[in-house]
């Protein structure tokens, strides 16, 4: 598992108490605000190649980032 996937999944755990759409938006905002663009790009590559390794909330957040 890549460090970016592990980190996104760890962040997702912190937001699991929220409604899924709210949590995904918060995770996406966190990644947008604090991750280096290279880290976001690597996460997006992993989303394309290994979507099953991501927590569903982290995957939803990544899709928000892509959109």
């Amino acid at each position: 598992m890549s460090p970016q996937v592990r980190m996104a999944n760890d962040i997702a755990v912190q937001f699991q108490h929220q409604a899924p759409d709210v949590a995904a938006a918060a995770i996406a905002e966190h990644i947008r605000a604090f991750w280096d663009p290279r880290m976001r790009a690597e996460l997006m590559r992993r989303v394309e190649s290994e979507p099953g390794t991501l927590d569903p909330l982290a995957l939803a957040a990544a899709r928000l980032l892509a959109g």
Side-chain angles (χ1 to χ4, degrees), residues 15-64:
F15 289 92
Q16 288 185 348
H17 65 283
Q18 296 183 357
D21 58 330
V22 174
I27 295 163
E29 182 55 34
H30 177 89
I31 291 172
R32 187 177 295 114
F34 296 108
W35 285 28
D36 182 274
R38 293 170 293 181
M39 294 172 66
R40 291 194 301 266
E42 178 60 23
L43 177 64
M44 300 315 291
R45 280 192 288 277
R46 298 295 178 155
V47 166
E48 292 297 321
S49 65
E50 306 169 2
T53 61
L54 283 139
D55 179 284
L57 291 176
L59 184 59
R63 289 184 173 142
L64 289 174

